[in-house]
Amino acid sequence: ALVRRTLPARDRSLIGPWCFVDHYGPTDLSTRPGMTVPPHPQTGLQTVTWLFSGSVEHRDSVGSVQEIRPGRLNLMTAGRGISHSEVSVPGARHLHGVQLWVALPDTSRHGAPGFEHHDDLPVVKIGGLEGDLGAEAIVIMGSFGGEKSPATAYSPIVAAELMLPAGSRVELPVDSAFEHGLLVDSGDVEVDGEAVPSWALSYVAPGRSGITVSASMSASARLLLLGGAPFAEDILMWWNFVARSHEEVVAARDQWQAGLETGSERFGRVEGFDGPPLPAPQLPRVRLVPRSQR
């Protein structure tokens, strides 16, 4: 599947605690293979898997086996260490969605790993600005429009899928202490009067209690709203590890590699995946340093 990485980008590493955004598809699986991500390790983050179409099976080293479908949330908390796989379900005809990472604050990143699946997420109706059709939002993480997601969060955060009918114009009620990003999945969209291309991520700095979003008259639009309080810590990201230092990354890589065949105490073992786990890439020959946040 075609994968577009919109965060981290050259000019921005985080939006609130969101540190990674991969946007993939739409892909017709009748003509090409689906998703097959072998077991791999993660530390210091939460993964948010959100589908627009298709079906994916998640397995992890804490024993979770869960099929995810559109409108349902898979949330995995890596904490000090977990491993997992994601594979398109046999018979799935499409693959289209996002893989998101949330950086855990230092107070939470050494905790136990865990997994949550949420079928019934709150839905918010947003009225149109000029009496036209409004918008509908599914609250994925945090609070939005007076509704709160049941998903566990460790930082002030928000994520919501937004659906705008053709010709609609709305003001999104957002927390003025948050910075926000709007990822356009489909449709011709304007954010605060500026056109945002499909698959692009528009940034809105803190200090705003409303963000105006409109869809063209020709087609409906779908967006993903991501936001949170600016993250106060510098993070170091390498492969699937969100750490704070070069030494942490080296230790995590060594522990994963040592347990490739039998599993490790830190990362466990994913049962039921048909194939070997994913070896870690070679470390660069230079010392890893934390990302600049801007």
Side-chain angles (χ1 to χ4, degrees), residues 158-212:
V158 66
E161 179 185 306
L162 308 171
M163 288 297 300
L164 281 72
S168 64
R169 181 170 174 265
V170 300
E171 184 173 277
L172 305 179
V174 296
D175 190 325
S176 62
F178 285 9
E179 54 186 350
H180 293 88
L182 284 141
L183 175 66
V184 179
D185 175 62
S186 61
D188 296 320
V189 172
E190 290 188 355
V191 175
D192 291 331
E194 294 189 7
V196 180
S198 292
W199 310 336
L201 182 66
S202 175
Y203 176 75
V204 180
R208 300 281 302 279
S209 60
I211 301 172
T212 303

Side-chain angles (χ1 to χ4, degrees), residues 7-24:
L7 194 74
R10 184 181 63 181
D11 297 326
R12 182 157 303 280
S13 296
L14 297 100
I15 296 176
W18 300 99
C19 62
F20 179 93
V21 177
D22 263 4
H23 181 207
Y24 49 85

Side-chain angles (χ1 to χ4, degrees), residues 197-259:
S198 292
W199 310 336
L201 182 66
S202 175
Y203 176 75
V204 180
R208 300 281 302 279
S209 60
I211 301 172
T212 303
V213 181
S214 59
S216 71
M217 296 298 294
S218 60
S220 62
R222 177 163 53 202
L223 304 89
L224 200 65
L225 172 71
L226 303 172
F231 202 66
E233 304 168 34
D234 289 334
I235 64 172
L236 195 160
M237 288 177 57
W238 182 82
W239 196 36
N240 301 303
F241 306 135
V242 175
R244 300 297 186 273
S245 71
H246 177 88
E247 289 75 16
E248 284 184 25
V249 169
V250 172
R253 182 191 182 277
D254 288 348
Q255 289 164 336
W256 173 251
Q257 287 296 99

Side-chain angles (χ1 to χ4, degrees), residues 82-189:
I82 198 170
S83 55
H84 77 123
S85 64
E86 288 187 317
V87 178
S88 291
V89 172
R93 301 177 62 184
H94 301 94
L95 179 63
H96 185 194
V98 290
Q99 178 75 57
L100 314 169
W101 292 2
V102 180
L104 290 171
D106 193 59
T107 52
S108 305
R109 69 189 184 97
H110 302 291
F115 177 79
E116 303 172 25
H117 177 81
H118 297 284
D119 286 333
D120 298 318
L121 295 169
V123 176
V124 174
K125 304 286 187 180
I126 305 167
L129 282 175
E130 298 166 356
D132 53 9
L133 295 172
E136 186 173 277
I138 303 173
V139 185
I140 302 168
M141 294 278 289
S143 298
F144 180 74
E147 296 288 346
K148 182 177 174 60
S149 166
T152 302
Y154 296 90
S155 299
I157 195 171
V158 66
E161 179 185 306
L162 308 171
M163 288 297 300
L164 281 72
S168 64
R169 181 170 174 265
V170 300
E171 184 173 277
L172 305 179
V174 296
D175 190 325
S176 62
F178 285 9
E179 54 186 350
H180 293 88
L182 284 141
L183 175 66
V184 179
D185 175 62
S186 61
D188 296 320
V189 172

